[in-house]
Amino acid sequence: MYRTNTCGELRMTHVSKEVTLAGWVQTIRKFGAITFVDLRDRYGVTQLLFGEELTKQLDENALGREFVLQATGKVSERSSKNTNIPTGDIELNVQSYQVLNRSAVPPFTIQDDTDGGDDVRMRYRFLDLRRNAVKKNLELRYAVNRAARNYLHAQGFMDIETPFLIKSTPEGARDFVVPSRMNPGQFYALPQSPQTFKQLLMVSGYDRYYQVVKCFRDEDLRADRQPEFTQIDCEMAFVEQEDILSMFEGMVKSIFKEVKNIDYSERVPRMTWEDAMWKYGNDKPDIRFDMSLCNLKKPGSVYTNKKDQNALISDAGFKVFDEAETVIAIAVPGCSEYTRKQTDEITEWVKRPQIGMKGLVFIKCNADGTYKSSVDKFYNEDRLKSIALATGAKAGDLVFILAGAEERTRKATSELRLEMAERLGFRNPTEFKLLWVLDFPLFEYDEEGNRWVARHHPFTSPKPDQISTMIDNNPSIENASEYLSHPYAGIKANAYDMVLNGNEIGGGSIRIYQRELQEKMFAALGMDKEEQLHKFGFLLGAFEYGAPPHGGIAFGFDRLCAILGGSESIRDFIAFPKNNAGRDVMLDAPSTIDGKQFDELQIKLNLK
Ligand code: ASP
């Protein structure tokens, strides 16, 4: 037997027991004639005491960090206890030991605060995974996985695996493709999600399906994306949107309870996509804090049922506002005493190419009730006051105003809101706020490709009362820039996202389940009959054999873990992640394959 106990297990109750431990050497400390070794395994660390005789042996045959060691001896009470670790009351008085394996000197220290940079740690990920901090993350990941499965199992969901070697399932990204040796010249696509399979399972009658499943998307890796990532993928038959919302609100709350012991009893608030964009400039608003947008001016063609406050800023001869499509303000709490240097710095921040604004206007709402602004040449104090009041600013606050083209300005204001919240410490990682965002637009316009694309995916159903708008109108547009006034722009989908602390953690929709409507949808997206049959003939065919009404949702499992773990990065919660260039630096993948493999596949490289 290699061990009787683990390195995290022994307590005062084990004193005088003879035990055998096995693990990795964390540290070696020599004190005169005796030696202390901290032995580590997955469960913890135990101090080993080597007496004089054994220390002499160690002197001859030195141990090193990360050696694999087995030690037998008696558990004894420590004279100086370590209250920082659960085994800190005892130590193992070693009687015999055996080096089970040696270790090269590790390229970084296997400790919480390691000296290893990102690159080395990824190259030696198997060592990095020994570190407590990384282990904690994987434990949390497993706990989330377990909690989700327990909940779904209790609700009658069945875990059904779906294939990886398939045909394209469009989720808006590029496919990873795999050549087929047995079918020369033909390729499988790896699933961007199991979307079409889970819908087919509904047709087959498995009315509650789930899977914790890998998805593959060949995207440019913007910050914190992975080419392969994991979803908790779910689908239900005979449901309406309301059924899905309550079922999965339940799942997330149950994960909160099991993993973080948080009783999230309040109902998750709901907001339409339009309200989210109007109020926060963002379809996944962080609602842990307010700082909502004050729409001072909007273009006529969007948010048609919302009223802006243009009267507050018009007729002042201030060209920047007069000529802008959109003017939006936010009130930042407690910042009225910002110095010139500070406001200049934020102005530079909004001018960065990623934000893309031309400038920033501010109004200081001073504690003494006066108002000072960068535009007081155009607006007297009364007008400044009315603008400030409209934003909800109080004495001591600082109002920022951005002006420009609609999309860019709205996005920039949202970014500024998040940035200020970050600086002011409003984005507390231990506070969790959920939100449902509903009624997304069904389509988005791709100005470059001059065509409509599905905002969620092509299987999402329009709101029932807007089906006719989709059917009765021709999707084509003469002048691409006028897409906002096309009837398609106003069609809303039966789609929903779950947002946690400003991150989309899940998204789904009620699906189309009638062949005719699905064909109309494909046609609206510019697919002719032939292409529809080539790509989705199987699904259209299945819809002819009694497809039930159905809908579903998928949660981004990696992201959910990262947020619950209080981290920004999903990589920290994946055992073997890829870097920003999509590389596995440990395996050195992707890599070339040998000539024989190309021959077998009948493929010739033509690198440009
Ligand atoms: N398949 C969708 C996605 O990956 C989720 C869903 O509609 O259920 O985003």
Side-chain angles (χ1 to χ4, degrees):
M1 199 202 300
Y2 275 111
R3 57 181 176 185
T4 57
N5 295 82
T6 70
C7 297
E9 205 179 341
L10 301 174
R11 301 284 186 277
M12 284 300 285
T13 49
H14 296 90
V15 166
S16 0
K17 276 219 169 105
E18 187 172 296
V19 300
T20 302
L21 299 182
W24 288 263
V25 172
Q26 166 100 18
T27 53
I28 308 158
R29 299 181 306 275
K30 219 175 145 187
F31 270 104
I34 58 166
T35 306
F36 291 108
V37 169
D38 280 348
L39 196 67
R40 173 197 354 101
D41 65 10
R42 186 184 135 194
Y43 308 92
V45 174
T46 302
Q47 177 165 293
L48 311 182
L49 168 64
F50 289 73
E52 284 189 27
E53 271 311 302
L54 290 176
T55 295
K56 272 187 213 145
Q57 281 183 34
L58 286 183
D59 284 344
E60 276 159 33
N61 228 331
L63 285 177
R65 279 197 288 137
E66 302 307 317
F67 275 38
V68 188
L69 187 70
Q70 181 190 44
T72 301
K74 270 219 170 90
V75 182
S76 53
E77 185 171 0
R78 275 208 219 179
S79 49
S80 68
K81 299 189 172 173
N82 179 352
T83 49
N84 294 327
I85 53 171
T87 61
D89 287 346
I90 55 94
E91 64 195 359
L92 184 67
N93 208 326
V94 180
Q95 284 152 1
S96 65
Y97 73 93
Q98 203 187 337
V99 171
L100 297 177
N101 209 347
R102 301 169 63 80
S103 168
V105 177
F108 52 86
T109 53
I110 315 283
Q111 285 167 357
D112 286 7
D113 285 322
T114 178
D115 53 359
D118 227 33
D119 245 27
V120 214
R121 287 197 297 108
M122 286 305 146
R123 195 144 2 110
Y124 294 89
R125 183 65 168 170
F126 52 92
L127 293 179
D128 197 31
L129 287 167
R130 285 186 193 162
R131 290 170 56 232
N132 226 0
V134 187
K135 190 182 73 197
K136 282 230 160 65
N137 291 346
L138 290 192
E139 283 171 350
L140 181 132
R141 184 182 175 101
Y142 179 49
V144 176
N145 189 331
R146 239 172 22 234
R149 286 180 185 280
N150 288 346
Y151 177 85
L152 292 168
H153 177 72
Q155 299 290 336
F157 283 76
M158 233 171 115
D159 177 347
I160 305 175
E161 286 155 277
T162 51
F164 281 170
L165 295 176
I166 64 163
K167 203 167 173 157
S168 178
T169 300
E171 295 280 0
R174 211 173 275 121
D175 289 324
F176 279 105
V177 293
V178 180
S180 165
R181 180 186 55 81
M182 288 193 287
N183 304 275
Q186 296 189 334
F187 295 79
Y188 300 101
L190 298 181
Q192 293 184 32
S193 81
Q195 185 60 38
T196 45
F197 287 102
K198 66 175 175 175
Q199 291 192 241
L200 291 175
L201 286 170
M202 295 305 113
V203 181
S204 310
Y206 296 89
D207 62 343
R208 290 184 173 200
Y209 142 95
Y210 87 99
Q211 200 180 175
V212 179
V213 63
K214 275 285 168 75
C215 300
F216 305 87
R217 298 184 190 177
D218 186 6
E219 296 178 284
D220 291 335
L221 298 180
R222 274 180 280 138
D224 211 25
R225 292 261 180 131
Q226 289 277 307
E228 54 176 310
F229 61 94
T230 307
Q231 283 188 344
I232 306 173
D233 188 47
C234 308
E235 195 77 6
M236 301 171 81
F238 305 114
V239 284
E240 288 167 345
Q241 177 165 300
E242 198 54 47
D243 302 307
I244 303 262
L245 299 190
S246 68
M247 175 64 73
F248 291 97
E249 195 167 315
M251 184 185 86
V252 173
K253 286 177 178 175
S254 144
I255 293 173
F256 276 12
K257 179 69 195 160
E258 273 193 50
V259 178
K260 305 287 289 183
N261 200 22
I262 294 173
D263 283 305
Y264 201 105
S265 48
E266 69 262 39
R267 181 172 182 262
V268 174
R270 299 168 180 197
M271 192 179 285
T272 63
W273 172 85
E274 191 167 87
D275 282 347
M277 294 304 292
W278 180 253
K279 230 179 133 185
Y280 298 101
N282 195 321
D283 60 6
K284 41 180 192 305
D286 188 342
I287 55 163
R288 282 173 294 181
F289 52 94
D290 185 22
M291 272 207 262
S292 49
L293 277 46
C294 173
N295 288 273
L296 293 169
K297 184 179 178 187
K298 61 154 190 148
S301 55
V302 284
Y303 306 108
T304 40
N305 48 14
K306 305 272 186 209
K307 233 179 105 41
D308 64 22
Q309 312 236 37
N310 197 17
L312 296 178
I313 54 167
S314 56
D315 303 323
F318 184 44
K319 265 210 181 140
V320 175
F321 287 177
D322 292 344
E323 287 170 6
E325 204 175 29
T326 294
V327 182
I328 311 178
I330 53 168
V332 185
C335 292
S336 67
E337 283 178 15
Y338 264 30
T339 59
R340 173 71 192 265
K341 197 168 154 224
Q342 283 173 300
T343 49
D344 279 356
E345 190 259 322
I346 294 173
T347 307
E348 285 314 308
W349 189 90
V350 302
K351 283 181 172 172
R352 298 172 338 152
Q354 305 94 300
I355 307 294
M357 298 310 293
K358 293 216 173 74
L360 178 70
V361 169
F362 63 82
I363 303 173
K364 289 181 173 175
C365 312
N366 298 321
D368 63 5
T370 59
Y371 294 84
K372 272 262 152 312
S373 168
S374 51
V375 289
D376 42 21
K377 234 173 60 205
F378 300 97
Y379 297 96
N380 63 26
E381 206 163 341
D382 272 353
R383 290 200 79 178
L384 292 176
K385 183 176 174 183
S386 341
I387 299 170
L389 290 181
T391 67
K394 298 191 194 58
D397 293 353
L398 177 61
V399 174
F400 284 136
I401 309 177
L402 291 171
E406 162 62 26
E407 242 185 79
R408 174 170 294 193
T409 307
R410 193 160 296 278
K411 185 153 184 288
T413 318
S414 163
E415 297 285 339
L416 179 62
R417 172 179 177 268
L418 293 172
E419 174 69 17
M420 294 313 296
E422 189 72 52
R423 294 184 188 203
L424 295 171
F426 296 163
R427 305 194 77 187
N428 171 6
T430 61
E431 185 191 358
F432 299 102
K433 277 264 166 74
L434 290 163
L435 172 73
W436 283 114
V437 177
L438 309 174
D439 302 350
F440 283 83
L442 185 65
F443 298 107
E444 242 167 25
Y445 199 70
D446 165 18
E447 280 193 69
E448 246 168 59
N450 195 15
R451 63 194 184 102
W452 293 102
V453 289
R455 191 175 192 290
H456 187 46
H457 51 52
F459 315 108
T460 295
S461 72
K463 292 273 171 211
D465 58 346
Q466 288 179 305
I467 291 176
S468 57
T469 313
M470 193 175 114
I471 293 175
D472 298 344
N473 287 285
N474 184 331
S476 63
I477 295 181
E478 297 256 304
N479 189 345
S481 65
E482 282 162 19
Y483 72 92
L484 279 174
S485 46
H486 189 281
Y488 271 30
I491 303 181
K492 295 289 191 295
N494 255 336
Y496 31 79
D497 275 1
M498 187 179 256
V499 175
L500 174 57
N501 292 0
N503 298 275
E504 178 200 326
I505 56 162
S509 60
I510 297 299
R511 324 296 185 190
I512 296 171
Y513 64 98
Q514 311 92 329
R515 177 171 185 146
E516 205 193 350
L517 184 57
Q518 187 64 68
E519 283 175 342
K520 286 272 170 357
M521 182 68 188
F522 287 145
L525 300 173
M527 258 185 249
D528 62 25
K529 276 255 155 21
E530 201 184 328
E531 191 180 354
Q532 293 182 21
L533 287 178
H534 172 66
K535 288 188 171 157
F536 300 110
F538 63 97
L539 187 70
L540 291 171
F543 282 175
E544 289 194 30
Y545 291 90
H550 61 285
I553 190 166
F555 286 85
F557 179 52
D558 312 286
R559 172 96 39 219
L560 179 57
C561 294
I563 301 170
L564 291 178
S567 163
E568 297 274 290
S569 160
I570 63 171
R571 283 212 289 166
D572 295 347
F573 293 79
I574 297 175
F576 297 104
K578 302 200 168 29
N579 74 5
N580 282 347
R583 297 198 69 82
D584 183 320
V585 291
M586 181 180 70
L587 302 178
D588 193 22
S591 57
T592 49
I593 55 173
D594 62 38
K596 188 163 159 263
Q597 286 171 298
F598 281 120
D599 288 346
E600 282 172 352
L601 295 167
Q602 303 187 49
I603 285 179
K604 239 197 202 117
L605 276 190
N606 182 20
L607 296 178
K608 302 246 161 72

